[in-house]
Each structure stands twice: as C-alpha cells, then as structure tokens.
Amino acid sequence: MEKADDPCSPFKILIACPSGLPPSQVSVAFGERYDRIPHLDSSLEDSISEIWNQRLQTNSSLFNGRKFRYGGSTLHSEGGSSNEDSHVCLNLGLTDYRTFVGTNLSPLWEKFLVPAEDDCIRCRHTSSPLGNGAIVETSDGKIVLLQRSNNVGEFPGHFVFPGGHPEPQELGIECHDHVKGFEDSNTINGKVSQEMFDSIIREVVEEIGVPPESLRNPVFIGISRRELNVRPAAFFFMKCSLESVEIQDLYTSAQDGYESTQLYTVPLIDIENMTSRMPGCHHGGFFLYKLMLQAAKGDKFITDH
C-alpha cells in the first residue's frame, strides 16, 4: 500500500479512523478560536478581495456562502484498540467561499502558509473550508465515482467520490454572534456534529440520485488534505442497498447531476488506476478506505497526524 507520509504524495492524512466511527463517537467544538487568522501582510490580505472581484467579473453567479473551517481535531482512544472506546472531536470555525477563493485557490496560496510542522499553525491564514466525500459501496460490491464536469471551478474532468460540504446555513448559522435557535454551546456543538453526518447523506442523494432510504448510516473514516492548496475533506463510508445498474439509472435524474458528466461503479482494484486523475484530498479518501478494509481484516485502530 502507498504511504501517506511519502513526501511526493498528493495528500496528507490528518486523522484516520479505520474502524469507522458513528455519530455517537464524533463530536464538534465550534467557535471563533478556530476561525482563520488574517495575514500580517496587508497586500496579501487585499489580494483576497481582488481575486474574488476578478472571479465575479467572469462568473456573476458566484455565491459567497458560509462554510465550516477546519481547525484541527483530537482523537481519544481509551483502550487503544477498541473501536467502542474511540472518539474524535473536530474543531470547527467559520469561513466563506470568497475567502476560500482568495486564499486556498489563489495563485499566491503558498504565501499564506506558515513554516511549521503543526498543520493548524501552518494553515492558520488560509480559509480551509472542510469538504466531505463518501465512499459508497453498491450491493454488488462496487464503489461509486463521478467524473466532474468541465464547467466546475475546481478540478474539471477529474474523478471524485460523491460529496460537497457540511453547511452552516442548514443550521441557521450566519456568524458567531448571531446563532439562531441555540441556547448554549453544547447544543450548537451537537447540531454541527450531526450536520457532519446529515450533509454527507444529503450530498450523496443530490449528486447520484439514490433515495436516502437506500443508504445505510455513514461512518466517519478520517480527514485527508490535498497538498495542492491545502484543502481538507472529511470522508465517510456507507453502503447502498441498490445494485450498480439501478444507481446508473437514477443518476440520470440526480438533482446535482450537472456537476458531473458521468457516474461509474468501479471494482476496488480498478480505482488504483484512477487515483492520478483525482484531487489529492479524494486520493487521500481512497487511502482512508483502504485503511478501513485493512482494519476489517483484524488490524488495530490507526491514527496518523
């Protein structure tokens, strides 16, 4: 198996949970302390607005939506090898699409990085919105992949797993000072944690067209970050009760089918030949899936920060 710590790897594994964690073992600490820290270079900060305005001139339909910002995570494993004793806490702040375009997607993205071993310090000036992706296994044992449309902003034509983002707007969160309908931080954290799981089901349903009742409860398998513009994504595994041919039929009327040009249901062995055409974070998602398969054969709980 390839190694996640290979210096030439297109991804870095930020956390790996090969046994797969249900919602009861994944929590969130949501707060301003995990927001992006502005860079001291004012000209670099000014470039964020400049790049966004340039993008608006070529695509007036761009929407500056709120996103959850990844600010690190903590893994607790009480007994060491028992999945039931393991717990992950994700540290999340707020960011937006405009800042993502102006930092992570900027031609100057490397200038926003801090020379540091600690990943949270290294990326403290980047937007780093947390994306998500799902390894969906069909009832006939294949994995669902999409080929992205040539009209999308990131990685046109590349192969990806179904996914997108958990959405603050789904919870009525617009900013830290005005969080609607929540009495205390524990309630907010619980709702954001549930959105991590609700959003991946929502993305799979919208992108490939399967009914939600065909999907088993997802489990969290980790977070990978692509090395190119340091974009993080949380990955989940779920089984679908439908066969490949049924999913292909449903895909033709998927709500968000315009984001991709084709759906593939692929045997595990064939995905290896497709990873060079994946964004680094999705390549990392496939690595996390292979760790899960190893764990299912009896390997112990693994972490890699």
Side-chain angles (χ1 to χ4, degrees):
M1 180 187 289
E2 63 192 322
K3 295 182 179 179
D5 57 0
D6 183 339
C8 297
S9 175
F11 63 87
K12 178 180 179 180
I13 299 300
L14 301 182
I15 187 164
C17 306
S19 299
L21 301 185
S24 61
Q25 291 171 249
V26 179
S27 63
V28 164
F30 174 68
E32 280 185 274
R33 61 189 179 278
Y34 304 118
D35 286 3
R36 170 184 174 268
I37 298 173
H39 201 283
L40 292 177
D41 184 337
S42 59
S43 63
L44 198 57
E45 281 295 298
D46 290 343
S47 73
I48 297 173
S49 295
E50 293 167 3
I51 289 171
W52 177 251
N53 291 333
Q54 289 169 9
R55 289 282 295 269
L56 280 177
Q57 289 176 6
T58 58
N59 184 359
S60 60
S61 64
L62 284 178
F63 174 67
N64 184 27
R66 284 289 193 177
K67 302 296 176 188
F68 289 111
R69 181 182 186 273
Y70 179 70
S73 58
T74 307
L75 173 73
H76 303 281
S77 187
E78 302 289 341
S81 62
S82 172
N83 184 47
E84 289 75 15
D85 294 329
S86 301
H87 185 95
V88 165
C89 180
L90 305 179
N91 302 325
L92 301 179
L94 279 178
T95 186
D96 55 37
Y97 187 65
R98 168 186 169 276
T99 311
F100 173 53
V101 168
T103 59
N104 293 82
L105 297 187
S106 167
L108 307 173
W109 68 272
E110 289 176 293
K111 293 184 180 295
F112 285 97
L113 301 182
V114 176
E117 289 296 321
D118 185 297
D119 206 71
C120 293
I121 295 175
R122 183 172 183 247
C123 299
R124 65 186 178 187
H125 301 310
T126 61
S127 173
S128 299
L130 182 64
N132 60 22
I135 314 298
V136 180
E137 184 181 290
T138 67
S139 64
D140 51 336
K142 296 180 180 178
I143 302 299
V144 175
L145 279 174
L146 297 169
Q147 186 164 23
R148 287 174 65 79
S149 165
N150 289 323
N151 298 320
V152 295
E154 291 183 77
F155 294 94
H158 282 59
F159 297 114
V160 294
F161 298 106
H165 300 86
E167 299 288 357
Q169 285 91 340
E170 288 288 327
L171 305 176
I173 296 175
E174 294 294 337
C175 63
H176 292 289
D177 295 332
H178 185 57
V179 179
K180 303 174 185 175
F182 300 117
E183 296 178 358
D184 54 47
S185 60
N186 288 334
T187 304
I188 297 170
N189 289 340
K191 291 291 187 181
V192 175
S193 178
Q194 187 58 47
E195 171 62 8
M196 296 298 110
F197 287 83
D198 290 346
S199 62
I200 194 59
I201 295 173
R202 191 168 62 240
E203 294 287 359
V204 169
V205 169
E206 291 175 358
E207 290 201 349
I208 70 176
V210 297
E213 58 269 21
S214 71
L215 300 171
R216 289 194 192 174
N217 294 334
V219 291
F220 173 77
I221 60 173
I223 295 176
S224 78
R225 191 205 68 202
R226 68 180 182 235
E227 291 293 6
L228 176 66
N229 61 45
V230 292
R231 171 70 186 278
F235 281 87
F236 299 80
F237 172 76
M238 67 181 78
K239 290 189 175 183
C240 181
S241 62
L242 303 176
E243 293 188 353
S244 297
V245 64
E246 296 175 285
I247 295 173
Q248 290 282 4
D249 287 342
L250 290 167
Y251 170 69
T252 59
S253 56
Q255 177 181 328
D256 288 350
Y258 63 90
E259 295 180 359
S260 59
T261 56
Q262 193 164 349
L263 179 145
Y264 300 87
T265 50
V266 186
L268 172 66
I269 192 170
D270 291 343
I271 300 179
E272 295 282 2
N273 300 323
M274 304 170 77
T275 55
S276 64
R277 292 282 312 282
M278 287 182 178
C281 47
H282 284 255
H283 191 166
F286 180 57
F287 182 87
L288 289 168
Y289 173 59
K290 290 190 291 184
L291 289 181
M292 189 198 79
L293 295 179
Q294 281 189 342
K297 294 178 182 177
D299 289 356
K300 292 184 177 181
F301 194 93
I302 303 169
T303 62
D304 182 2
H305 294 282

